[in-house]
Amino acid sequence: MIYSFCLLKPDCVDRQLVERCLQMIADQGLEIIMQDRRSLNLAEARLFYYQCRSEHYYDDLCRHITSGDCHGIIVSGRRAVDRLNSLVGINEPQLNLPGTIRSLGQDIAHNLAHSSENFDQFFREAIIFFSKDRVISLF
């Protein structure tokens, strides 16, 4: 089984869009096999966005992701990474087609969600949010 990870960011939680996003994921035929809601601390945020550390917006990403609760989700299904990425959409909400999660976002800084780009990124991000033991239990 192939897994992927989605993080619904604090703006998604604050705007009470979590249930709508979970339904969108289920409607795509992806099975939600693990989920939890919690805040990330700054150290976790820096690890989570490690790949963006040299970007000018890195500190803003970390500040936003630690501004409130996030809702983490692990999904499973055939081609889960690609299917989840298509559902989440591109970074800029106004450039998304209707029906993507990010099409509900307000702007690039408040685009509601993040999804892993590949299996390695899934594993790294999922253990930051859930824990290594919980993620390894899937295998």
Side-chain angles (χ1 to χ4, degrees):
M1 190 58 59
I2 300 297
Y3 300 105
S4 194
F5 176 76
C6 180
L7 187 70
L8 300 176
K9 299 176 187 179
D11 52 312
C12 187
V13 174
D14 290 346
R15 291 179 56 206
Q16 300 179 350
L17 293 172
V18 171
E19 291 303 320
R20 184 171 178 183
C21 293
L22 293 174
Q23 187 61 55
M24 292 169 79
I25 291 168
D27 290 348
Q28 287 296 312
L30 294 166
E31 182 181 1
I32 298 170
I33 60 169
M34 190 179 295
Q35 63 180 312
D36 204 355
R37 185 176 294 185
R38 71 177 190 87
S39 297
L40 293 173
N41 63 42
L42 185 56
E44 291 170 325
R46 291 188 180 284
L47 285 172
F48 191 83
Y49 283 127
Y50 181 78
Q51 72 275 8
C52 300
R53 69 193 174 284
S54 62
E55 301 292 343
H56 71 280
Y57 53 82
Y58 175 68
D59 288 336
D60 290 335
L61 282 173
C62 293
R63 210 174 356 265
H64 176 60
I65 208 75
T66 59
S67 68
D69 282 350
C70 297
H71 195 95
I73 305 155
I74 294 178
V75 301
S76 68
R78 190 172 73 71
R79 295 182 44 243
V81 172
D82 294 336
R83 290 167 60 202
L84 185 60
N85 282 332
S86 292
L87 176 62
V88 169
I90 61 173
N91 287 337
E92 297 184 46
Q94 67 275 15
L95 300 179
N96 277 284
L97 295 173
T100 62
I101 291 172
R102 286 179 171 164
S103 69
L104 305 171
Q106 296 172 318
D107 55 48
I108 195 165
H110 301 93
N111 63 11
L112 302 181
H114 164 86
S115 59
S116 302
E117 294 178 11
N118 55 52
F119 184 81
D120 291 339
Q121 188 177 357
F122 149 75
F123 192 76
R124 184 180 62 76
E125 293 171 348
I127 65 174
I128 291 168
F129 191 83
F130 292 105
S131 77
K132 188 174 183 179
D133 290 339
R134 283 184 74 188
V135 174
I136 288 177
S137 74
L138 299 174
F139 304 93

